[in-house]
Amino acid sequence: MNHQTTATATPADDRHFASTGELTEALAGQGYLIADDLAVVLHLATLLDRPLLLEGPAGVGKTELAKALAAASGRELIRLQCYEGLDDARALYEWDYARQLLHVQMLRDRISDELAAYDTLADASAALARTEVGVYSEEFLVPRPLLAAIMSPEPTVLLVDEIDRTDEAMEAVMLEVLAERQVTVPELGTFTARSSPWVILTSNDTRELSPALKRRCLHFQVAYPDAERERAIVAVRAPDVEPTVIGEVVDLARRLRELPLRKSPSIAEVIDAARAAARLSEAGAPRTGEPIGGQDPALMSLLVKFGTDLDHVRRAFAGADAAAGAPVAVDGSSPGGTVTERAFGAGRARSAARR
């Protein structure tokens, strides 16, 4: 049995974007500032109805883009979070075995009465084989994210997140969905998309994806934004933080990203760090330990998440401070400013002075 049902109407709140500028404006309305070149590729993916593969380091906003796109277009977001060991039952579909068993038990007595009319076991077996008990029907099918996006009568945004965490066998399972917009269930047949989902795949570049997968997608390599754009992103997500504090935190994060760390600070962590710096400024909180390169350890706890990375940062910053050769007075002042100024910028220093 083949399922070839297609959507007959578009939901009133489903939005298509006539231009790249309209898409950029809609995403900005959701708090997502997209780069111009990425906006062009994303717009093409929606126009051509092709999957978009976003590759790049963790924390550059790949997943957030899918969420913002769903919100801006009025579509439901269906997310498949990939992980090692992901199988068909979690990605495509599975059968509701408990309901199937209950269904069989309900039919058992009736079937037994009907089979009693046959004289031989062979006749009864043949009659049973011809009987449709309805165990493998859509009623007992439990759609998982890939099939759910295909079966949805309304357009959706399908996010296949961190696909590089799966193996190539799982990639092969997804090819039918990506290329044909359909899923084959052996017991039922082929389910063809009832609407037109926008598909976004993300990868953190932990392994090379197969050429077969990439061939079916538009591709974009997402990098960390430049300093100006990152400051704008943080300002949008943390509007109550002073621009000087945002600038200090962004500069610190970019300095950390230049080091060979196990995990570089993500944009989300930079936003949290900016909010934390503003809170520390308001509270006038004392330092909780020895400064790390002139930075408050509390701030570092939001940006550096591994002990080995923190040790590396301490060594790198200590070397930079030694090279600078700037003496620090008893009151914490130096030619580069006070410790507070170096940690959180002049904005916090002014707040501390007012108190």
Side-chain angles (χ1 to χ4, degrees):
M1 179 176 63
N2 290 328
H3 296 257
Q4 301 291 340
T5 306
T6 57
T8 58
T10 300
D13 58 349
D14 176 37
R15 179 178 179 183
H16 289 73
F17 305 101
S19 66
T20 301
E22 183 180 340
L23 172 60
T24 300
E25 184 178 349
L27 293 175
Q30 300 299 323
Y32 191 95
L33 305 183
I34 188 171
D36 294 339
D37 49 355
L38 176 54
V40 172
V41 176
L42 177 60
H43 188 231
L44 284 175
T46 62
L47 291 178
L48 301 176
D49 197 24
R50 303 300 298 169
L52 174 60
L53 172 60
L54 302 175
E55 291 192 282
V60 294
K62 302 185 297 294
T63 301
E64 287 300 316
L65 175 56
K67 295 178 180 178
L69 179 63
S73 61
R75 296 184 172 209
E76 177 189 2
L77 177 69
I78 298 179
R79 179 174 180 173
L80 173 61
Q81 178 61 54
C82 299
Y83 54 88
E84 186 177 356
L86 179 68
D87 58 10
D88 299 12
R90 294 298 178 185
L92 286 170
Y93 67 91
E94 62 182 336
W95 293 103
D96 190 338
Y97 295 115
R99 291 187 60 208
Q100 286 176 319
L101 180 59
L102 180 61
H103 182 70
V104 170
Q105 290 175 339
M106 293 173 61
L107 295 177
R108 181 179 55 189
D109 293 338
R110 180 175 177 180
I111 292 175
S112 298
D113 292 340
E114 292 181 0
L115 295 181
Y118 293 92
D119 296 331
T120 66
L121 180 60
D123 292 340
S125 179
L128 181 60
R130 294 191 301 269
T131 302
E132 176 61 54
V133 296
V135 174
Y136 290 102
S137 64
E138 192 172 332
E139 179 184 359
F140 299 105
L141 190 65
V142 181
R144 295 306 180 190
L146 296 182
L147 182 57
I150 293 296
M151 295 179 65
S152 174
E154 299 182 355
T156 62
V157 173
L158 172 61
L159 169 61
V160 182
D161 207 14
E162 298 183 325
I163 191 173
D164 52 320
R165 290 180 177 270
T166 65
D167 53 24
E168 288 196 18
M170 196 63 226
E171 285 185 36
V173 170
M174 297 183 186
L175 295 183
E176 185 181 20
V177 176
L178 299 179
E180 307 297 335
R181 291 293 200 275
Q182 65 183 31
V183 171
T184 299
V185 180
E187 296 86 350
L188 295 178
T190 300
F191 287 85
T192 302
R194 298 172 180 175
S195 61
S196 182
W198 289 341
V199 183
I200 293 182
L201 304 92
T202 72
S203 167
N204 293 336
D205 276 340
T206 59
R207 70 171 179 85
E208 185 69 24
L209 301 178
S210 68
L213 179 74
K214 289 192 172 185
R215 187 168 62 248
R216 290 163 171 82
C217 303
L218 277 71
H219 178 271
F220 192 88
Q221 190 73 30
V222 185
Y224 288 107
D226 58 31
E228 181 180 357
R229 181 173 293 276
E230 188 165 10
R231 285 193 292 268
I233 292 171
V234 177
V236 168
R237 295 300 181 96
D240 296 333
V241 180
E242 292 184 12
T244 52
V245 175
I246 292 176
E248 289 284 343
V249 173
V250 168
D251 290 344
L252 172 59
R254 297 181 69 81
R255 185 180 175 189
L256 292 172
R257 290 175 189 147
E258 293 175 355
L259 301 176
L261 302 181
R262 184 175 173 186
K263 193 195 80 62
S264 296
S266 69
I267 296 175
E269 289 169 328
V270 175
I271 294 171
D272 288 341
R275 289 170 175 158
R279 293 282 183 168
L280 290 171
S281 173
E282 294 171 0
R287 291 192 183 277
T288 56
E290 289 294 324
I292 303 175
Q295 309 299 331
D296 194 319
L299 186 61
M300 283 295 183
S301 69
L302 289 128
L303 298 173
V304 183
K305 302 297 178 67
F306 289 95
T308 53
D309 283 353
L310 189 58
D311 292 340
H312 188 84
V313 169
R314 284 195 178 102
R315 290 193 298 269
F317 282 13
D321 290 345
V328 178
V330 175
D331 63 353
S333 63
S334 71
T338 66
V339 173
T340 300
E341 290 172 332
R342 293 200 308 275
F344 299 112
R348 176 175 177 177
R350 288 194 300 269
S351 298
R354 286 195 296 268
R355 288 190 294 272

